[in-house]
Every structure is written in C-alpha cells, then in structure tokens.
Amino acid sequence: MILGLTRSWSLIGYLITAVLLLPLLALIVQATQPDEAVFTHLFDTVLPTYIYNSLLLMLLVGFGSLVIAIPAAWFVARCEFPGRRYFQWLLLLPLAMPAYIVAYVYTDMLDYAGPVQRAMRTWFEWQTPQDYYFPAIRSIGGAAIMLSLVLFPYIYLLARTAFMEQSSHLLHASRVMGCGPWRSFWRLALPMARPALAVGVALVAMETAADFATVSYFAVPTLTTAVYDTWLGYGSLTAAAKLSAIMLLVVFSMVGVERFARRKQQLFQKQSRLNEADRYHLAPTKAWAAWSYCMGLLVVSFILPFAVLCAYAVDYFSESWDDRFWQYSINSLYIAAIVSFICVAFAVVLMFVRRVSPRPSDKLASRLSSTGYALPGTVLAIGVLVPLTYADFAINDLMTWFGAKGPGLLFTGSVFALIFAFCVRFVAIAIGSLESSYKRISPSLDMASITLGQSPRQLLRSVHLPLLRKGMFAGALLVFIESMKELPAALLLRPIGFENLATYVFQFVSDEKLEHGALAAIVIVLVGLVPLIYLNRSLEQSR
C-alpha cells in the first residue's frame, strides 16, 4: 500500500463508482414515485402471475441444470472413460448458444407441425390432436428445459472444479471403510461440493431471472417481460421502475437465502493433485454409459441447434448475405469495442486505487462498481433511462431558456444510452479479470518503485500496466463477447433505426423466420466460443 497516494486518484475512483451506481440509485428513486393507476392495475390483475411464474421458472431451471450438470461433472472429474479429455471443454460450448435460438430450433422440431409429431402421426396413423398426447413446448416447462440446456455449464464448471480439488485421500478412506463409488459420491463428494453447487445454482437463477427472449418467445409472462411491456405498452416509466425494484428484490433475496443457508457451514480439506490413478476406471459397459450421457447432453444442447443453424444459413445464404447483415455486424463490433475499452479503463483505475490505497472506502469503490452485473438487462435499461431522460429534458430546457434550439434527445436518442448500460453491466467482468492479475504482482515491486521516487501515475504506467496486459486482454475479450450477445438492454435502449446482430436475430425469431437470420446467429455463436476456448486453456494452464 502506498500511503502517499494522491487524492486525485481516489476522487477519480469515487466518480467512476458514482457513475456506475447511478442507474441503480435512479431506479430506486423512481420506484418510490407515485403512479397509482398503472401499477395498481397491474397489482390487481397480472402482477401475482408474473411473480409466481418468475419464481417457478427460476426453481425449475435451477433444479434442471443441477440434475443435468452433476453427473457430467462427476464423470469428467473423477472417472476415466473414452473422450473424457474432450468432454471437459466440449460441455462448456452450450454457453455460447443463446437460449432463444435453442428454443426456436426445438419449437420448430417439436411443435404440432414439426417433423417429430408429423412422423408420429404417420407411424401410428393418428389423424387429429385428440388421438394422442404430446406435451406443449410453448409452456413454462418448455422454457425451463430450454434454459437448462443452455445454463447448466455454469454449474458443471464449478462442480467439476470442486470435484477435482477434493482430496483423493478422503475418497480412498471411504473406499477402505466399505463405501462403493456410488456411496462415496453421495455421502462424501457431493456434500463437500455443496458450496460450489450453491453458487452455480445462484448464477443460473440470476441468469433465468434476467432472460427475456426465451420467455417472450414462449409467451410465458414473467417480471422481465412485465417491465418491457409496461414501458413500451403503458408508457409508464415509474410503473416499470416499480416492477424492476421487485425483480431486484427477488434476485437479491435468492442470493441472501443461499448465503444464509450455508452461513455455518465450514469445510476444511487438504487438496491433492489429481492424477490418472485417482480416477475410477470404468468397466466397458459403464464407460459406454458415461460417454453416451456426455455425448447426448452435448448433442441436444449444442450440436443439434448449431447444425440446424448451419443448414438454415446454407439454404438462405443469398437472403442473409446483404447490406443489412454487414451494417448490423459493424454496429455490434464498434459498440462492443467501445464498451470493452471503457470497461477495462474503469477497471484499471478502480483496481489500482484498491491496490495502493489503505483507505477502506477506496477499496469499497471497486466492489460497489461491480453490482451492475446483478441487474437484469430490462431492469438496467429502466435504470439508465431514468437519469438520461432527466438529463435530456434539463439540457433542452436550459437551451430554451437561453433562447437557443435544444439538441433533442442527446443521450436517450443515441447509442450513448446503449454504451452506458453495457458499461454498467459488464465492468464487473473486467474488474474480476484484473483482480486475478493483480494477485500475481508482488507488493515488493510497488515498494521498490516508490523507493526509486516514482509517482503513482508512473507506477501504474511503468510497472502495473505491462504486467496486467494479459488480464486486460482477457477482460476486454470477455466484455466484448458479452456486449455482442446482450439483448434485453439493446431492445429497450437502441436508437430508432439502429440494430445490432442480437436484435436483428431476435426479430426473425419473433416473426418465426430464424432461417433468414441464421447467418447472423452463427456469427454470435462463433464469437461466443472465443472466451470459452480461452477459459479452458486458462484452466488447463492453472492445473
């Protein structure tokens, strides 16, 4: 720590934190404003249904993802079977696939007019829907399955890491005491992995609460769609802010419940390096079953939807390869590039202040700046609209008072609002990446630099930045990819006539014409694969 840190660095850190917290504070203030007509109408009619569906969907997706991910994580971490080395990173690929694309593909396949039901009617000579029962894909259960297929890698990754870090001596001791592989897993390995599983379920629940496209496509009314419909349908920013505050309460309550449930849990174990001898060498039949499970999960969650996209892109290539595709790709690229640069710059300043300052308030600034990542896209959009709308009106009123013509919607009518929202939401990713890199820089380097008479600015430029290049690149890359994929905030905050790849693809999904947007969807998926490959390489190097 540098006691001589100039006050200007702290002030810059406080200013960045205040800007990043502005949407959350504005949302809370706006939610306290009176708007009895619209919100009372929603409260008396559909709000209980919105809340019930949101909680039920989070519960179903969390449970479904947990059930899917745990066997795959155990097979890959603790069992030896053909293809295990490849499945440990292949099972991360579904994260690159947007859930609404998976939902469209399976709806097209499983709906009444889809190939599956047509084949069943042909084989069994059924004539009408009354002749047989087929579960409705456009339901809350169908939405839960689609989201589980995309979000289970969160739990899989954390569970796999937890299983691999568990001491092999404990598992060997359980075998000596007469526990077979199943009892060792159920009574020892699974309870020890509970903290990681709880964090994974919490992440999945927050992602489910933030999802808009899938539930909108399946016509499942949730709080996310309620915020969107209230703002665009009723035109009530205050009612939308009240619904957003309820969403925040739900999300933070789930996180609080998860932490409260394991507040007294303590786990102490000696970690040991996992080698080939520590894994269970499965018999041929069981090895085939493990391979089949992992392969089947990979096929239904990634390979099949991606293959369908590729087939669509080939068949409709001439319709997709046009000027709009290039223009929207450029829009996505330059927005993502600007956001990644700003987020990394903010993260560098915040983490530098946190590194060199002894004051607790300076250290708290970087932590508060990361809260935006917990805000769902629709909630964040309302939080951004509130202060920027007031700013636009204030500037125009001021210009009118001076007798000049106002600039119009300077902030909310341009890409500024979109960039601001993305920075608030994704700066936490850059902060996390730089925090990991800063832990590898020895404090003795800071002390040596100060001894040589360098100022804080010289320390940052000459010592920290060269050593942080890898972390800065990783943070910029992750922010870039997330900005390319973000949909709810883009739908609400985009200027009139502005589209990016995410909104472009979603419009085709909403119109049941994904075939025409398949090429753009493939670009989103391929770009999303980049951080997954980087993540897997980082995990392998750390091991």
Side-chain angles (χ1 to χ4, degrees):
M1 295 184 294
I2 303 173
L3 297 177
L5 177 70
T6 58
R7 187 174 296 275
S8 60
W9 281 98
S10 296
L11 293 177
I12 294 174
Y14 294 149
L15 178 61
I16 293 174
T17 303
V19 170
L20 295 176
L21 287 177
L22 181 61
L24 178 60
L25 299 177
L27 180 67
I28 296 174
V29 172
Q30 186 69 29
T32 61
Q33 301 301 312
D35 185 12
E36 299 298 333
V38 176
F39 186 76
T40 302
H41 170 70
L42 293 174
F43 185 84
D44 293 336
T45 55
V46 295
L47 184 57
T49 302
Y50 289 149
I51 297 176
Y52 172 79
N53 287 342
S54 299
L55 294 176
L56 179 60
L57 187 63
M58 286 189 285
L59 179 64
L60 291 176
V61 175
F63 179 76
S65 300
L66 196 66
V67 171
I68 292 173
I70 289 178
W74 177 256
F75 290 148
V76 170
R78 285 290 178 175
C79 299
E80 191 63 44
F81 62 96
R84 182 196 62 81
R85 292 182 58 190
Y86 300 102
F87 282 124
Q88 66 180 358
W89 63 269
L90 285 174
L91 290 174
L92 296 175
L93 297 184
L95 282 177
M97 184 71 66
Y100 58 91
I101 294 178
V102 177
Y104 179 92
V105 170
Y106 280 105
T107 300
D108 192 48
M109 292 175 58
L110 302 176
D111 218 352
Y112 180 77
V116 173
Q117 292 200 49
R118 288 204 312 266
M120 292 175 60
R121 291 194 295 270
T122 301
W123 291 340
F124 298 104
E125 297 183 353
W126 292 326
Q127 302 298 324
T128 64
Q130 288 73 28
D131 294 336
Y132 66 100
Y133 170 76
F134 196 89
I137 184 66
R138 292 178 182 270
S139 62
I140 192 168
I145 294 174
M146 298 301 107
L147 289 170
S148 297
L149 289 177
V150 173
L151 299 178
F152 82 88
Y154 284 112
I155 300 178
Y156 159 78
L157 180 60
L158 294 171
R160 189 193 78 176
T161 304
F163 289 145
M164 293 178 66
E165 291 179 348
Q166 289 174 0
S167 174
S168 299
H169 302 298
L170 294 177
L171 296 176
H172 292 328
S174 69
R175 300 298 302 275
V176 171
M177 297 178 67
C179 291
W182 169 249
R183 292 187 65 190
S184 296
F185 164 76
W186 184 255
R187 300 186 63 179
L188 184 63
L190 193 59
M192 287 195 300
R194 182 188 168 191
L197 297 178
V199 173
V201 172
L203 285 173
V204 168
M206 286 192 291
E207 290 293 331
T208 302
D211 179 80
F212 167 78
T214 306
V215 294
S216 176
Y217 179 67
F218 277 0
V220 176
T222 63
L223 286 172
T224 310
T225 59
V227 173
Y228 185 86
D229 295 338
T230 302
W231 168 235
L232 295 184
Y234 292 97
S236 175
L237 192 61
T238 301
K242 292 179 182 294
L243 292 174
S244 301
I246 295 176
M247 280 194 67
L248 287 180
L249 181 62
V250 170
V251 172
F252 290 138
S253 296
M254 291 197 65
V255 176
V257 168
E258 178 269 325
R259 292 184 177 180
F260 180 81
R262 56 188 179 93
R263 67 192 186 284
K264 295 182 179 180
Q265 185 184 37
Q266 295 184 9
L267 178 64
F268 302 98
Q269 59 172 319
K270 182 180 179 181
Q271 295 184 359
S272 59
R273 184 177 180 85
L274 185 67
N275 52 51
E276 299 296 329
D278 294 325
R279 295 192 176 94
Y280 297 108
H281 290 263
L282 302 178
T285 303
K286 294 182 179 179
W288 172 254
W291 183 91
S292 299
Y293 180 84
C294 294
M295 191 65 193
L297 184 57
L298 180 63
V299 168
V300 298
S301 61
F302 181 80
I303 294 179
L304 181 58
F306 189 71
V308 172
L309 282 182
C310 292
Y312 287 160
V314 172
D315 293 339
Y316 293 85
F317 182 79
S318 58
E319 291 89 343
S320 303
W321 191 267
D322 55 13
D323 293 338
R324 291 188 304 169
F325 170 74
W326 285 105
Q327 182 59 52
Y328 300 157
S329 299
I330 293 173
N331 290 344
S332 293
L333 290 174
Y334 90 78
I335 290 292
I338 294 173
V339 171
S340 60
F341 175 81
I342 295 175
C343 286
V344 171
F346 282 0
V348 167
V349 174
L350 291 171
M351 289 307 302
F352 178 70
V353 173
R354 179 176 171 182
R355 164 89 172 193
V356 300
S357 174
R359 291 186 288 269
S361 59
D362 290 338
K363 299 182 183 299
L364 181 63
S366 61
R367 302 187 186 279
L368 291 177
S369 300
S370 301
T371 57
Y373 191 70
L375 302 180
T378 51
V379 174
L380 177 61
I382 299 301
V384 168
L385 280 173
V386 172
L388 294 188
T389 300
Y390 281 118
D392 279 337
F393 278 103
I395 292 174
N396 282 274
D397 291 342
L398 183 63
M399 295 296 292
T400 303
W401 187 76
F402 279 110
K405 183 179 180 180
L409 300 179
L410 182 63
F411 298 123
T412 57
S414 65
V415 296
F416 179 86
L418 201 60
I419 294 173
F420 181 34
F422 285 4
C423 289
V424 172
R425 179 162 169 76
F426 300 128
V427 72
I429 300 176
I431 290 175
S433 180
L434 285 179
E435 183 177 12
S436 177
S437 297
Y438 256 122
K439 290 180 179 178
R440 300 186 179 95
I441 301 178
S442 173
S444 60
L445 295 177
D446 299 356
M447 300 175 186
S449 299
I450 297 303
T451 302
L452 293 173
Q454 289 191 331
S455 64
R457 184 164 64 91
Q458 292 172 327
L459 170 64
L460 176 63
R461 185 182 67 249
S462 303
V463 179
H464 288 182
L465 289 182
L467 297 174
L468 292 173
R469 284 182 298 181
K470 186 177 180 180
M472 292 169 62
F473 173 76
L477 179 64
L478 294 173
V479 171
F480 183 90
I481 302 307
E482 290 297 327
S483 300
M484 291 278 292
K485 294 168 56 179
E486 175 63 26
L487 176 64
L491 284 174
L492 282 171
L493 297 175
R494 57 181 173 165
I496 297 176
F498 182 89
E499 301 283 351
N500 61 7
L501 288 178
T503 59
Y504 180 59
V505 172
F506 180 70
Q507 286 183 358
F508 284 116
V509 171
S510 301
D511 296 336
E512 303 282 351
K513 296 180 180 179
L514 178 60
E515 300 87 354
H516 299 278
L519 187 61
I522 289 176
V523 173
I524 294 176
V525 173
L526 292 179
V527 172
L529 292 177
V530 175
L532 296 179
I533 296 173
Y534 180 86
L535 174 63
N536 182 71
R537 291 185 60 186
S538 299
L539 291 175
E540 289 299 316
Q541 291 175 0
S542 64
R543 287 183 58 199

